[in-house]
Amino acid sequence: ELDINAFEKDKKLQTQALSQMVYTDGSRIDDHIPEELYNKAVSVMEELDIYMSIFDRYCPAFWSSMIESVQYEKMGLHINLGIDHHLLDRAYENQKEILEVESAELQYQMMAGFSDELQALLLEETVDMYENPETTKSELDELMDIWAAGDEKEFSKYLASEDQDMTAEEKQLYEEYIKAMFVDRNLSMADYAETSLKSGKEVFICVGAAHIVGEGAVAELLKQRGYKVECITG
């Protein structure tokens, strides 16, 4: 999706991206989420030894991202072992041209653009994940097993079940999340893939699996445009 290797080394790019998550109207995170949730999130970040008072100027999406990244590291899920890092490392080793489907600034802007209610819901879920590490690890292991098996049907079923325990209000907020995180971006990714195909260049594109599999995902969009799409699992 983007060159995270270059992003991690470029402080200017990081600053530009993170600036999207800072409140510029003088407000603080506790002006945007319930007090109880704020206090719980502060406690979690203090337990993880990552809380700083300056973070109060950042939106809940930033807090969710911080807590998740540290928690995943503690579970042994290291970002440098991700498939995107692996493919980028190989591309650099073989002196391939690195192209970006999106920018980090766009991704941060998208998350900061979620409504206060949605950001509060996502932060609540992140805090709950931290408080229930065994359940979180079990669910992640299940998802990784499905991904590693290349089982499209099971992967689609897993994604479709994510909102089954939500209230009607939460499901409505989840629809906002799905539209921004997947529907809108899937269209952009399909456009990028089609432009690449028409360019005549041989291009290898890697995006998150949830952008590829399921209704409205990139594979389906390209099929609708007349392209042959095949899942290779061997």
Side-chain angles (χ1 to χ4, degrees), residues 17 20-21 104-114:
Q20 301 298 318
M21 293 193 161
E105 191 169 354
L106 181 148
Q107 292 188 353
Y108 279 66
Q109 189 177 46
M110 173 198 64
M111 291 186 288
F114 292 156

Side-chain angles (χ1 to χ4, degrees), residues 201-228:
K201 293 182 179 179
E202 186 174 358
V203 180
F204 186 97
I205 301 174
C206 173
V207 297
H211 293 294
I212 299 297
V213 177
E215 184 179 351
V218 175
E220 183 183 86
L221 291 172
L222 290 175
K223 285 180 182 178
Q224 291 173 359
R225 299 179 188 187
Y227 293 95
K228 179 182 178 182

Side-chain angles (χ1 to χ4, degrees), residues 28-48:
R28 296 156 38 101
I29 184 173
D30 49 349
D31 295 318
H32 296 264
I33 63 175
E35 182 180 3
E36 182 182 1
L37 174 58
Y38 170 74
N39 291 333
K40 286 167 67 175
V42 169
S43 295
V44 169
M45 293 184 81
E46 286 178 339
E47 287 180 27
L48 292 172

Side-chain angles (χ1 to χ4, degrees), residues 64-116:
S64 296
S65 179
M66 287 286 291
I67 294 170
E68 284 181 0
S69 62
V70 176
Q71 185 182 13
Y72 289 162
E73 287 281 332
K74 287 181 175 292
M75 289 180 176
L77 302 173
H78 302 288
I79 189 171
N80 62 334
L81 298 178
I83 189 67
D84 41 5
H85 256 296
H86 171 71
L87 292 172
L88 280 166
D89 288 343
R90 289 190 63 184
Y92 274 107
E93 287 169 8
N94 290 279
Q95 299 182 324
K96 300 291 186 181
E97 180 184 7
I98 308 296
L99 307 172
E100 292 187 311
V101 178
E102 298 176 331
S103 67
E105 191 169 354
L106 181 148
Q107 292 188 353
Y108 279 66
Q109 189 177 46
M110 173 198 64
M111 291 186 288
F114 292 156
S115 65
D116 283 354

Side-chain angles (χ1 to χ4, degrees), residues 64-208:
S64 296
S65 179
M66 287 286 291
I67 294 170
E68 284 181 0
S69 62
V70 176
Q71 185 182 13
Y72 289 162
E73 287 281 332
K74 287 181 175 292
M75 289 180 176
L77 302 173
H78 302 288
I79 189 171
N80 62 334
L81 298 178
I83 189 67
D84 41 5
H85 256 296
H86 171 71
L87 292 172
L88 280 166
D89 288 343
R90 289 190 63 184
Y92 274 107
E93 287 169 8
N94 290 279
Q95 299 182 324
K96 300 291 186 181
E97 180 184 7
I98 308 296
L99 307 172
E100 292 187 311
V101 178
E102 298 176 331
S103 67
E105 191 169 354
L106 181 148
Q107 292 188 353
Y108 279 66
Q109 189 177 46
M110 173 198 64
M111 291 186 288
F114 292 156
S115 65
D116 283 354
E117 294 78 11
L118 175 56
Q119 290 196 52
L121 174 63
L122 295 175
L123 182 56
E124 185 77 58
E125 289 181 348
T126 303
V127 169
D128 183 66
M129 286 170 58
Y130 172 79
E131 294 175 342
N132 298 277
E134 291 184 5
T135 300
T136 300
K137 185 66 165 61
S138 175
E139 291 175 351
L140 286 171
D141 285 344
E142 179 188 359
L143 179 58
M144 286 192 289
D145 286 343
I146 294 171
W147 175 84
D151 193 326
E152 292 181 79
K153 289 184 179 179
E154 282 301 312
F155 194 85
S156 297
K157 191 187 299 183
Y158 183 98
L159 295 176
S161 68
E162 288 193 321
D163 65 348
Q164 63 182 6
D165 296 324
M166 293 182 179
T167 65
E169 183 180 357
E170 288 172 340
K171 285 184 178 181
Q172 189 172 357
L173 289 172
Y174 191 62
E175 287 178 9
E176 177 193 342
Y177 173 82
I178 292 297
K179 183 180 185 304
M181 184 66 78
F182 297 108
V183 176
D184 294 344
R185 293 171 70 208
N186 287 350
L187 285 169
S188 296
M189 290 176 180
D191 289 343
Y192 186 93
E194 186 169 25
T195 299
S196 299
L197 287 164
K198 290 180 176 179
S199 72
K201 293 182 179 179
E202 186 174 358
V203 180
F204 186 97
I205 301 174
C206 173
V207 297

